Amino acid sequence: MRPLGSAALISAVLALGGLSSPALAASYDFVPAPQTDLNRIYRIDRITGEVSSCQYGLQEGTVGVTLCYSAGEGAGAQAPGEYGLVASRHEREGGVFRVNYRTGQMSICYVFDERVVCTPQTTPSPAVSSAAPTAATPSGGSGTGASPQRP
């Protein structure tokens, strides 16, 4: 039994273990777009908040292709945090919310011009009242009681 050979073996095992740790630490979450007729899924890096997306596409003469959209404006890496994606329950919504669980900040991400884009991260101001102002709500005007639909 050679002590030097054993030490070399142990060093090699530890080095390989160290190399595989980052690969095992990949931290992504995946969420489908809520739109019921869209086969798109979003991916987020839980640490950096970078968002990308892929979907299935038809291509004649093949079984199809995977169309992927990389991070565009606002969808790139953010300040390190604890990010996630939340889909609304709106069946016609093609985008998702990017949330930072540590800060409470949110933004909306969606595919635009073959890239994923996100609005700036924001949080509601604590000074803002949760009650909607009644004077700012437009009426239907014709006596129908209809109100405009808000996004």
Side-chain angles (χ1 to χ4, degrees):
M1 187 164 164
R2 292 185 194 166
L4 185 57
S6 296
L9 179 62
I10 291 171
S11 293
V13 169
L14 290 175
L16 288 175
L19 291 176
S20 65
S21 292
L24 296 175
S27 57
Y28 296 101
D29 277 335
F30 300 86
V31 171
Q35 187 172 334
T36 56
D37 62 347
L38 182 63
N39 61 2
R40 181 174 295 151
I41 190 165
Y42 289 88
R43 178 185 81 171
I44 190 166
D45 182 304
R46 288 185 264 173
I47 305 300
T48 68
E50 183 172 354
V51 181
S52 58
S53 180
C54 292
Q55 70 185 53
Y56 173 77
L58 296 174
Q59 185 173 23
E60 192 156 327
T62 71
V63 295
V65 295
T66 304
L67 303 170
C68 291
Y69 308 100
S70 60
E73 184 178 339
Q78 306 294 301
E82 186 179 343
Y83 293 93
L85 294 173
V86 177
S88 72
R89 294 182 183 237
H90 193 278
E91 65 184 27
R92 297 291 305 155
E93 181 60 56
V96 293
F97 291 86
R98 174 178 54 192
V99 298
N100 184 329
Y101 292 110
R102 290 184 188 166
T103 66
Q105 291 182 313
M106 295 183 275
S107 61
I108 309 299
C109 301
Y110 54 95
V111 174
F112 179 74
D113 270 346
E114 297 188 23
R115 304 279 285 199
V116 176
V117 296
C118 298
T119 61
Q121 293 275 344
T122 189
T123 55
S125 170
V128 175
S129 171
S130 62
T134 55
T137 305
S139 65
S142 64
T144 65
S147 295
Q149 183 177 9
R150 295 182 183 193

PDB file of all heavy atoms in Angstrom, residues 64-86:
ATOM      1  N   GLY A  64     -40.846  18.924 -35.527  1.00  0.00           N
ATOM      2  CA  GLY A  64     -40.989  20.250 -34.945  1.00  0.00           C
ATOM      3  C   GLY A  64     -39.673  20.733 -34.381  1.00  0.00           C
ATOM      4  O   GLY A  64     -38.656  20.046 -34.440  1.00  0.00           O
ATOM      5  N   VAL A  65     -39.689  21.939 -33.846  1.00  0.00           N
ATOM      6  CA  VAL A  65     -38.487  22.541 -33.287  1.00  0.00           C
ATOM      7  C   VAL A  65     -38.809  23.189 -31.943  1.00  0.00           C
ATOM      8  O   VAL A  65     -39.955  23.513 -31.667  1.00  0.00           O
ATOM      9  CB  VAL A  65     -37.888  23.611 -34.232  1.00  0.00           C
ATOM     10  CG1 VAL A  65     -37.399  22.993 -35.517  1.00  0.00           C
ATOM     11  CG2 VAL A  65     -38.879  24.717 -34.507  1.00  0.00           C
ATOM     12  N   THR A  66     -37.779  23.347 -31.154  1.00  0.00           N
ATOM     13  CA  THR A  66     -37.905  24.092 -29.915  1.00  0.00           C
ATOM     14  C   THR A  66     -37.409  25.499 -30.188  1.00  0.00           C
ATOM     15  O   THR A  66     -36.254  25.695 -30.550  1.00  0.00           O
ATOM     16  CB  THR A  66     -37.073  23.448 -28.792  1.00  0.00           C
ATOM     17  OG1 THR A  66     -37.485  22.091 -28.642  1.00  0.00           O
ATOM     18  CG2 THR A  66     -37.254  24.180 -27.481  1.00  0.00           C
ATOM     19  N   LEU A  67     -38.299  26.468 -30.061  1.00  0.00           N
ATOM     20  CA  LEU A  67     -37.952  27.868 -30.266  1.00  0.00           C
ATOM     21  C   LEU A  67     -37.653  28.487 -28.913  1.00  0.00           C
ATOM     22  O   LEU A  67     -38.504  28.453 -28.021  1.00  0.00           O
ATOM     23  CB  LEU A  67     -39.122  28.613 -30.923  1.00  0.00           C
ATOM     24  CG  LEU A  67     -39.618  28.052 -32.248  1.00  0.00           C
ATOM     25  CD1 LEU A  67     -40.907  28.723 -32.667  1.00  0.00           C
ATOM     26  CD2 LEU A  67     -38.548  28.231 -33.306  1.00  0.00           C
ATOM     27  N   CYS A  68     -36.459  29.021 -28.743  1.00  0.00           N
ATOM     28  CA  CYS A  68     -36.085  29.607 -27.456  1.00  0.00           C
ATOM     29  C   CYS A  68     -35.790  31.087 -27.620  1.00  0.00           C
ATOM     30  O   CYS A  68     -35.269  31.526 -28.646  1.00  0.00           O
ATOM     31  CB  CYS A  68     -34.878  28.894 -26.869  1.00  0.00           C
ATOM     32  SG  CYS A  68     -35.272  27.215 -26.348  1.00  0.00           S
ATOM     33  N   TYR A  69     -36.135  31.837 -26.595  1.00  0.00           N
ATOM     34  CA  TYR A  69     -35.954  33.281 -26.567  1.00  0.00           C
ATOM     35  C   TYR A  69     -35.061  33.627 -25.380  1.00  0.00           C
ATOM     36  O   TYR A  69     -35.383  33.314 -24.234  1.00  0.00           O
ATOM     37  CB  TYR A  69     -37.302  33.988 -26.439  1.00  0.00           C
ATOM     38  CG  TYR A  69     -38.292  33.528 -27.487  1.00  0.00           C
ATOM     39  CD1 TYR A  69     -39.265  32.593 -27.172  1.00  0.00           C
ATOM     40  CD2 TYR A  69     -38.223  34.007 -28.791  1.00  0.00           C
ATOM     41  CE1 TYR A  69     -40.168  32.151 -28.132  1.00  0.00           C
ATOM     42  CE2 TYR A  69     -39.120  33.574 -29.754  1.00  0.00           C
ATOM     43  CZ  TYR A  69     -40.088  32.644 -29.421  1.00  0.00           C
ATOM     44  OH  TYR A  69     -40.968  32.198 -30.370  1.00  0.00           O
ATOM     45  N   SER A  70     -33.947  34.278 -25.663  1.00  0.00           N
ATOM     46  CA  SER A  70     -33.008  34.632 -24.597  1.00  0.00           C
ATOM     47  C   SER A  70     -33.440  35.934 -23.925  1.00  0.00           C
ATOM     48  O   SER A  70     -34.357  36.622 -24.380  1.00  0.00           O
ATOM     49  CB  SER A  70     -31.591  34.758 -25.161  1.00  0.00           C
ATOM     50  OG  SER A  70     -31.562  35.753 -26.159  1.00  0.00           O
ATOM     51  N   ALA A  71     -32.761  36.264 -22.843  1.00  0.00           N
ATOM     52  CA  ALA A  71     -33.084  37.457 -22.069  1.00  0.00           C
ATOM     53  C   ALA A  71     -32.795  38.714 -22.877  1.00  0.00           C
ATOM     54  O   ALA A  71     -31.711  38.887 -23.423  1.00  0.00           O
ATOM     55  CB  ALA A  71     -32.283  37.469 -20.776  1.00  0.00           C
ATOM     56  N   GLY A  72     -33.777  39.573 -22.956  1.00  0.00           N
ATOM     57  CA  GLY A  72     -33.636  40.867 -23.610  1.00  0.00           C
ATOM     58  C   GLY A  72     -33.697  41.965 -22.559  1.00  0.00           C
ATOM     59  O   GLY A  72     -33.326  41.756 -21.394  1.00  0.00           O
ATOM     60  N   GLU A  73     -34.228  43.111 -22.949  1.00  0.00           N
ATOM     61  CA  GLU A  73     -34.289  44.279 -22.061  1.00  0.00           C
ATOM     62  C   GLU A  73     -34.995  43.974 -20.736  1.00  0.00           C
ATOM     63  O   GLU A  73     -36.128  43.501 -20.721  1.00  0.00           O
ATOM     64  CB  GLU A  73     -35.004  45.429 -22.764  1.00  0.00           C
ATOM     65  CG  GLU A  73     -35.023  46.709 -21.957  1.00  0.00           C
ATOM     66  CD  GLU A  73     -35.708  47.847 -22.706  1.00  0.00           C
ATOM     67  OE1 GLU A  73     -35.815  47.785 -23.936  1.00  0.00           O
ATOM     68  OE2 GLU A  73     -36.131  48.785 -22.022  1.00  0.00           O
ATOM     69  N   GLY A  74     -34.308  44.195 -19.648  1.00  0.00           N
ATOM     70  CA  GLY A  74     -34.870  44.006 -18.312  1.00  0.00           C
ATOM     71  C   GLY A  74     -34.923  42.569 -17.840  1.00  0.00           C
ATOM     72  O   GLY A  74     -35.195  42.317 -16.673  1.00  0.00           O
ATOM     73  N   ALA A  75     -34.689  41.600 -18.719  1.00  0.00           N
ATOM     74  CA  ALA A  75     -34.804  40.185 -18.353  1.00  0.00           C
ATOM     75  C   ALA A  75     -33.469  39.565 -17.984  1.00  0.00           C
ATOM     76  O   ALA A  75     -33.418  38.410 -17.582  1.00  0.00           O
ATOM     77  CB  ALA A  75     -35.439  39.387 -19.494  1.00  0.00           C
ATOM     78  N   GLY A  76     -32.398  40.320 -18.106  1.00  0.00           N
ATOM     79  CA  GLY A  76     -31.073  39.817 -17.758  1.00  0.00           C
ATOM     80  C   GLY A  76     -30.884  39.710 -16.259  1.00  0.00           C
ATOM     81  O   GLY A  76     -31.810  39.923 -15.470  1.00  0.00           O
ATOM     82  N   ALA A  77     -29.665  39.387 -15.863  1.00  0.00           N
ATOM     83  CA  ALA A  77     -29.348  39.213 -14.449  1.00  0.00           C
ATOM     84  C   ALA A  77     -29.630  40.485 -13.664  1.00  0.00           C
ATOM     85  O   ALA A  77     -29.320  41.586 -14.107  1.00  0.00           O
ATOM     86  CB  ALA A  77     -27.891  38.806 -14.293  1.00  0.00           C
ATOM     87  N   GLN A  78     -30.236  40.309 -12.502  1.00  0.00           N
ATOM     88  CA  GLN A  78     -30.547  41.386 -11.568  1.00  0.00           C
ATOM     89  C   GLN A  78     -29.594  41.284 -10.383  1.00  0.00           C
ATOM     90  O   GLN A  78     -28.731  40.418 -10.341  1.00  0.00           O
ATOM     91  CB  GLN A  78     -32.000  41.253 -11.093  1.00  0.00           C
ATOM     92  CG  GLN A  78     -33.024  41.173 -12.211  1.00  0.00           C
ATOM     93  CD  GLN A  78     -33.127  42.454 -13.011  1.00  0.00           C
ATOM     94  OE1 GLN A  78     -33.424  43.506 -12.462  1.00  0.00           O
ATOM     95  NE2 GLN A  78     -32.841  42.376 -14.301  1.00  0.00           N
ATOM     96  N   ALA A  79     -29.790  42.125  -9.386  1.00  0.00           N
ATOM     97  CA  ALA A  79     -29.009  42.007  -8.154  1.00  0.00           C
ATOM     98  C   ALA A  79     -29.282  40.638  -7.553  1.00  0.00           C
ATOM     99  O   ALA A  79     -30.418  40.150  -7.619  1.00  0.00           O
ATOM    100  CB  ALA A  79     -29.415  43.107  -7.178  1.00  0.00           C
ATOM    101  N   PRO A  80     -28.278  39.981  -6.999  1.00  0.00           N
ATOM    102  CA  PRO A  80     -28.509  38.654  -6.418  1.00  0.00           C
ATOM    103  C   PRO A  80     -29.661  38.684  -5.418  1.00  0.00           C
ATOM    104  O   PRO A  80     -29.810  39.633  -4.650  1.00  0.00           O
ATOM    105  CB  PRO A  80     -27.187  38.332  -5.722  1.00  0.00           C
ATOM    106  CG  PRO A  80     -26.173  39.149  -6.461  1.00  0.00           C
ATOM    107  CD  PRO A  80     -26.882  40.407  -6.856  1.00  0.00           C
ATOM    108  N   GLY A  81     -30.489  37.656  -5.478  1.00  0.00           N
ATOM    109  CA  GLY A  81     -31.659  37.588  -4.606  1.00  0.00           C
ATOM    110  C   GLY A  81     -32.218  36.187  -4.587  1.00  0.00           C
ATOM    111  O   GLY A  81     -31.528  35.205  -4.888  1.00  0.00           O
ATOM    112  N   GLU A  82     -33.491  36.098  -4.309  1.00  0.00           N
ATOM    113  CA  GLU A  82     -34.217  34.827  -4.292  1.00  0.00           C
ATOM    114  C   GLU A  82     -35.431  35.006  -5.200  1.00  0.00           C
ATOM    115  O   GLU A  82     -36.493  35.431  -4.769  1.00  0.00           O
ATOM    116  CB  GLU A  82     -34.653  34.501  -2.864  1.00  0.00           C
ATOM    117  CG  GLU A  82     -35.278  33.147  -2.708  1.00  0.00           C
ATOM    118  CD  GLU A  82     -35.669  32.868  -1.263  1.00  0.00           C
ATOM    119  OE1 GLU A  82     -35.192  33.542  -0.344  1.00  0.00           O
ATOM    120  OE2 GLU A  82     -36.473  31.945  -1.079  1.00  0.00           O
ATOM    121  N   TYR A  83     -35.237  34.717  -6.491  1.00  0.00           N
ATOM    122  CA  TYR A  83     -36.240  35.008  -7.517  1.00  0.00           C
ATOM    123  C   TYR A  83     -37.107  33.797  -7.837  1.00  0.00           C
ATOM    124  O   TYR A  83     -36.691  32.655  -7.691  1.00  0.00           O
ATOM    125  CB  TYR A  83     -35.554  35.472  -8.805  1.00  0.00           C
ATOM    126  CG  TYR A  83     -34.864  36.805  -8.666  1.00  0.00           C
ATOM    127  CD1 TYR A  83     -33.516  36.872  -8.335  1.00  0.00           C
ATOM    128  CD2 TYR A  83     -35.550  37.987  -8.863  1.00  0.00           C
ATOM    129  CE1 TYR A  83     -32.870  38.091  -8.202  1.00  0.00           C
ATOM    130  CE2 TYR A  83     -34.919  39.214  -8.737  1.00  0.00           C
ATOM    131  CZ  TYR A  83     -33.581  39.259  -8.405  1.00  0.00           C
ATOM    132  OH  TYR A  83     -32.943  40.462  -8.269  1.00  0.00           O
ATOM    133  N   GLY A  84     -38.301  34.095  -8.318  1.00  0.00           N
ATOM    134  CA  GLY A  84     -39.209  33.059  -8.776  1.00  0.00           C
ATOM    135  C   GLY A  84     -40.123  33.621  -9.837  1.00  0.00           C
ATOM    136  O   GLY A  84     -40.134  34.832 -10.097  1.00  0.00           O
ATOM    137  N   LEU A  85     -40.896  32.751 -10.459  1.00  0.00           N
ATOM    138  CA  LEU A  85     -41.885  33.140 -11.457  1.00  0.00           C
ATOM    139  C   LEU A  85     -43.262  32.762 -10.950  1.00  0.00           C
ATOM    140  O   LEU A  85     -43.447  31.686 -10.371  1.00  0.00           O
ATOM    141  CB  LEU A  85     -41.621  32.435 -12.792  1.00  0.00           C
ATOM    142  CG  LEU A  85     -40.335  32.813 -13.505  1.00  0.00           C
ATOM    143  CD1 LEU A  85     -40.132  31.919 -14.729  1.00  0.00           C
ATOM    144  CD2 LEU A  85     -40.353  34.282 -13.924  1.00  0.00           C
ATOM    145  N   VAL A  86     -44.224  33.638 -11.205  1.00  0.00           N
ATOM    146  CA  VAL A  86     -45.604  33.380 -10.809  1.00  0.00           C
ATOM    147  C   VAL A  86     -46.476  33.667 -12.015  1.00  0.00           C
ATOM    148  O   VAL A  86     -46.405  34.750 -12.599  1.00  0.00           O
ATOM    149  CB  VAL A  86     -46.030  34.275  -9.621  1.00  0.00           C
ATOM    150  CG1 VAL A  86     -47.493  34.040  -9.274  1.00  0.00           C
ATOM    151  CG2 VAL A  86     -45.135  34.046  -8.420  1.00  0.00           C
TER     152      VAL A  86
END
